[in-house]
Amino acid sequence: MLIGVLAIQGDFEAHTRMLERLGAKTRIVRTPADLDGLDGLVVPGGESTTMTLGIEREGLAEPLRDLVRAGTPVLGTCAGLIVLDRDHLGVLDIAANRNAFGRQVHSFETDLDVRGLDAPIRAVFIRAPWVKEHGGEVEVLAEVDGHPVAVRQGNVTAVAFHPELTDDTRVHELLLEQVRSRKVGERV
Ligand code: GLN
């Protein structure tokens, strides 16, 4: 199983470490050629404006959309959620509200119930977005104060927090499960 981690900018190394702990092979993605043969992709946190500019500069926007259209499981975290939304790559039918928790609350942690996980997860939010609008195809997996902070639409999952910053690997496992069930589907 080969999982790419977009490494234009942001905290991609923590994702790589977590995925390898779970037994996946990883590849740093910086150019369209790096997307070839990937079974899954992580779009990490960081700074969404910088990341979007880098995606444009490297000619990655359309290849990334193709990857999603082909059904490849993708996980976006924090700035990654913003990069995937309607106003950026447009592969998730959501509108993200950047730095939504306000200036005073740059970062916080909370125990969050996430649909699909058996018990709450310690979620680290850093200058995090929330989802201010979403289409009918989007499933809300978690909310904070009534605002969606984890969503899924088909093969694309996005969370507003940083699952790579704790020891809890369950969000990354969800991505790997999607990859596994897709591979099984391909064989039959
Ligand atoms: N505030 C950042 C942005 O708007 C996201 C922060 C993060 O990824 N931790 O791009």
Side-chain angles (χ1 to χ4, degrees):
M1 194 183 315
L2 179 62
I3 310 295
V5 181
L6 189 68
I8 299 291
Q9 187 265 340
D11 67 336
F12 49 89
E13 278 166 352
H15 285 283
T16 304
R17 279 196 295 276
M18 189 160 261
L19 290 163
E20 287 181 354
R21 250 177 75 195
L22 292 171
K25 292 199 179 71
T26 60
R27 183 195 287 158
I28 290 296
V29 172
R30 295 207 166 98
T31 67
D34 297 332
L35 296 173
D36 283 351
L38 292 183
D39 297 310
L41 179 75
V42 173
V43 182
E47 212 289 315
S48 55
T49 308
T50 312
M51 218 182 293
T52 299
L53 289 172
I55 287 170
E56 293 297 335
R57 185 186 63 231
E58 299 300 330
L60 271 163
E62 204 47 36
L64 284 170
R65 291 189 191 105
D66 287 343
L67 186 95
V68 172
R69 275 186 217 118
T72 311
V74 173
L75 170 66
T77 64
C78 200
L81 176 148
I82 300 167
V83 166
L84 298 169
D85 86 351
R86 286 175 190 158
D87 297 327
H88 297 83
L89 284 175
V91 296
L92 257 184
D93 189 16
I94 63 167
N97 185 4
R98 288 183 68 189
N99 303 321
F101 291 94
R103 282 177 193 218
Q104 283 77 11
V105 193
H106 276 169
S107 64
F108 63 97
E109 294 184 24
T110 188
D111 292 319
L112 190 69
D113 279 315
V114 178
R115 198 185 278 193
L117 300 185
D118 46 355
I121 189 165
R122 189 79 186 155
V124 180
F125 290 83
I126 304 170
R127 292 173 56 76
W130 67 49
V131 174
K132 61 181 175 194
E133 276 172 42
H134 62 86
E137 311 249 293
V138 175
E139 183 188 5
V140 174
L141 304 179
E143 293 182 344
V144 171
D145 299 335
H147 303 289
V149 292
V151 291
R152 173 175 275 181
Q153 182 179 5
N155 50 315
V156 184
T157 306
V159 300
F161 54 95
H162 285 267
E164 76 285 9
L165 294 184
T166 66
D167 276 341
D168 194 325
T169 56
R170 286 177 294 163
V171 171
H172 291 78
E173 281 170 46
L174 285 180
L175 175 72
L176 299 187
E177 272 166 32
Q178 268 200 322
V179 170
R180 266 183 226 112
S181 48
R182 181 162 178 252
K183 282 179 167 271
V184 169
E186 275 167 7
R187 277 201 292 271
V188 291

